[in-house]
Amino acid sequence: MNEKKGMKSMIPNWRQIREEVVQVLTDLIRINTSNPPGNETRAAKYIKDFLEKENIQAEIYEAAPARGNLVARIPGSGELKPLILLAHLDVVGANAEHWSKEPFGNNIDDKYIWGRGALDMKGMLAMEMLALVILKRSGFLPKRDLLLVAAADEEAGGTMGMDWLIKQSIPGLREAEFVINEGGEGFIRDGIPVYSCQNGEKGVLWLKLSVKGTPGHASMPSNDNSIITIMNALSRIKRHKMPLTLTETTRIFLSEIAMAKGYNLSTGAKARDLSLQIFAKRYFSDERSVQAMLYNTVSPTIIKAGHKVNVLPEVCELTLDCRLLPGETPAGFLKKLTDIINNPAIEMEIISQAEPTVSPIETELYRIMKKAVQLEDDKAILVPYLSPGGTDSRFFRKLGITAYGFIPIIIDESELQRMHGIDERISLHNLEQGTRILFETVREIANAG
Ligand SMILES: [Zn+2]
């Protein structure tokens, strides 16, 4: 790139950066931000101190006492709209009894940093902090403001975090062009590093079904036993095969992987879709995360009925967690389920609902991310990814801002299961390489658009 006169070197000392990013992450893990209760302000203060030593301005905004959100900024020339590096400060709880290391301790060996949040998502937060610090040290003047937003309360829905923060008048937040957040990690497929860009999230429809039955002595069965009515509804849902539905994201996800494998796809839209469906069934039949991208799903989660072994239950309640593909709406899916169940005696109440959100991938940022992963390995590919669960990205997508989940690390399924699970950890290699990929991405998009 063209370096301006008087500008310091843009080539970072990666040995030093590696030590710094490791230090930041181990410090962040030791600040216990398990939500509930969160207590994110302590972590926000740590970040503010760290960044201000590097001459990066940061502010803390508390939605409630101890529930701090941090916004830091490298001001740009204003020629382009802001880029936000987004993270959340809180983590889910951890039961130390089940862990082989102290989840909020200082555990580092020659390969890994262990602790709650290593993957979700203090590791990424540390990478984002260092990416900004390297740019700031170089004296680089970006064409857009570069923001770091570290929000509270993501793990509990964001009421004290992003949902609240985005409604405050903080310059740059609602005017951003791009957001980089959690949600997409990479994996190895047949020797090819596959990085994902989470550009969409499924919608949510949580339902409570309830039905009444005639109470009475269980020695004299009734024809309207409420448990049996609910079981029948459930078996109708189970028997109904939800169709495999391709979306823009899954079409590209599957074809990128198919092409990298040298798999032949038919030409012509219809035939191509058919071959993608066959490819998905053949190669991803055991992968729940990929299967979830292809279907509207329904999971029964809580069932309640009865209180005594010899008494017929008066009422039976069942909750369903439905996740919807882009193109589906909560109202539309509720109508479909009602038709499938086909029993007017069953009442259906919506507990919670959210539309699916999707960002386009024909953007300068996507192109730059792809280039950045290929700088590490020219065989690497970038695929868009539709996540079955939600992140804070949804608050930005609703405003029409392009938000991508992009944690540029390579991990396998067993490492991924440690997220929200036991013995969460991140490899030192991933932490360093991730910082480099993120830095390259931010450096490029800072002036491109
Ligand atoms: Zn997370």
Side-chain angles (χ1 to χ4, degrees):
M1 67 174 294
N2 288 327
E3 296 194 8
K4 283 188 196 135
K5 253 198 177 156
M7 204 168 131
K8 288 157 230 153
S9 169
M10 258 320 245
I11 302 159
N13 173 348
W14 285 108
R15 248 209 354 240
Q16 181 199 334
I17 301 297
R18 176 178 165 136
E19 276 171 29
E20 289 177 300
V21 72
V22 164
Q23 186 64 53
V24 168
L25 176 54
T26 49
D27 288 347
L28 285 172
I29 287 173
R30 282 203 307 274
I31 304 171
N32 185 340
T33 51
S34 296
N35 184 9
N39 282 335
E40 295 91 343
T41 298
R42 281 178 58 221
K45 278 190 176 145
Y46 168 86
I47 299 168
K48 182 174 159 76
D49 288 350
F50 180 87
L51 293 176
E52 286 185 344
K53 277 187 200 125
E54 301 286 340
N55 300 312
I56 299 174
Q57 282 285 311
E59 295 296 331
I60 295 172
Y61 303 88
E62 282 189 329
R67 308 304 306 272
N69 295 270
L70 172 130
V71 180
R73 182 187 316 263
I74 297 179
S77 66
E79 287 160 76
L80 297 170
K81 293 200 288 179
L83 165 75
I84 295 176
L85 298 179
L86 180 61
H88 60 83
L89 293 163
D90 60 326
V91 293
V92 291
N95 186 346
E97 273 174 37
H98 300 140
W99 283 54
S100 60
K101 318 257 182 193
E102 162 54 40
F104 303 100
N106 185 16
N107 288 299
I108 171 166
D109 56 29
D110 53 356
K111 266 187 140 167
Y112 295 99
I113 295 174
W114 305 67
R116 175 58 84 224
L119 290 172
D120 186 12
M121 69 170 287
K122 288 176 171 172
M124 173 73 169
L125 172 55
M127 294 177 208
E128 292 175 339
M129 287 163 66
L130 266 295
L132 287 190
V133 163
I134 304 166
L135 279 173
K136 182 69 185 179
R137 285 177 188 163
S138 72
F140 173 78
L141 175 68
K143 285 188 181 167
R144 52 175 102 236
D145 280 12
L146 306 176
L147 273 68
L148 172 73
V149 176
D153 203 32
E154 192 274 342
E155 298 290 359
T159 321
M160 300 286 160
M162 214 51 248
D163 194 10
W164 174 83
L165 194 66
I166 204 151
K167 291 169 191 147
Q168 313 307 306
S169 47
I170 298 168
L173 238 50
R174 301 169 71 90
E175 301 79 35
E177 181 171 11
F178 297 118
V179 172
I180 299 178
N181 185 26
E182 64 177 336
E185 299 85 19
F187 52 92
I188 300 280
R189 188 105 207 159
D190 303 318
I192 304 160
V194 181
Y195 288 86
S196 13
C197 164
Q198 189 257 52
N199 72 316
E201 290 169 15
K202 290 177 85 176
V204 175
L205 178 65
W206 289 350
L207 293 172
K208 184 162 92 181
L209 275 56
S210 57
V211 67
K212 292 196 171 76
T214 310
H217 203 286
S219 61
M220 293 169 282
S222 71
N223 288 330
D224 65 347
N225 185 312
S226 60
I227 294 179
I228 293 175
T229 313
I230 286 290
M231 295 313 284
N232 285 340
L234 207 47
S235 91
R236 289 183 74 98
I237 296 170
K238 175 109 182 58
R239 279 202 309 270
H240 181 90
K241 284 256 173 287
M242 299 286 168
L244 191 162
T245 306
L246 295 173
T247 63
E248 267 324 289
T249 300
T250 46
R251 275 191 187 95
I252 301 167
F253 171 87
L254 292 169
S255 33
E256 289 280 345
I257 295 176
M259 284 185 309
K261 284 173 70 70
Y263 186 90
N264 272 333
L265 294 170
S266 314
T267 47
K270 255 196 167 157
R272 193 179 171 85
D273 272 8
L274 199 62
S275 57
L276 287 175
Q277 295 193 2
I278 294 166
F279 177 73
K281 282 181 181 157
R282 187 170 300 169
Y283 287 94
F284 293 103
S285 59
D286 294 331
E287 282 170 60
R288 286 162 62 194
S289 59
V290 177
Q291 289 298 313
M293 289 165 70
L294 304 172
Y295 298 92
N296 291 312
T297 58
V298 181
S299 291
T301 46
I302 305 171
I303 188 158
K304 282 186 202 161
H307 56 96
K308 211 164 179 290
V309 67
N310 60 352
V311 176
L312 294 169
E314 206 167 330
V315 61
C316 180
E317 288 176 359
L318 168 73
T319 64
L320 298 177
D321 180 345
C322 312
R323 302 290 170 138
L324 315 178
L325 294 170
E328 187 57 84
T329 61
F333 196 70
L334 178 59
K335 166 91 176 59
K336 275 183 200 158
L337 271 187
T338 310
D339 290 347
I340 292 166
I341 293 169
N342 191 23
N343 183 348
I346 297 178
E347 277 178 39
M348 296 175 65
E349 181 197 336
I350 297 175
I351 306 171
S352 182
Q353 58 179 321
E355 303 273 342
T357 63
V358 181
S359 289
I361 62 162
E362 302 78 24
T363 65
E364 194 60 18
L365 178 55
Y366 191 87
R367 193 188 63 72
I368 287 170
M369 282 159 48
K370 189 169 176 175
K371 204 172 114 191
V373 302
Q374 287 170 346
L375 271 179
E376 294 290 328
D377 183 339
D378 56 13
K379 289 197 309 298
I381 58 172
L382 181 71
V383 294
Y385 174 71
L386 176 70
S387 128
T391 69
D392 279 343
S393 293
R394 68 185 188 280
F395 298 110
F396 291 93
R397 292 201 187 110
K398 275 187 221 161
L399 298 174
I401 297 167
T402 295
Y404 293 148
F406 181 57
I407 303 191
I409 59 174
I410 296 281
I411 51 174
D412 63 23
E413 191 67 25
S414 72
E415 292 292 317
L416 203 58
Q417 293 306 325
R418 294 166 186 258
M419 199 187 266
H420 286 216
I422 295 161
D423 284 345
E424 184 177 349
R425 63 185 188 181
I426 188 169
S427 74
L428 298 170
H429 175 75
N430 263 328
L431 195 59
E432 182 187 334
Q433 181 170 284
T435 307
R436 212 159 42 226
I437 295 172
L438 196 63
F439 162 73
E440 284 299 336
T441 303
V442 175
R443 184 175 68 99
E444 284 268 319
I445 194 65
N447 276 348

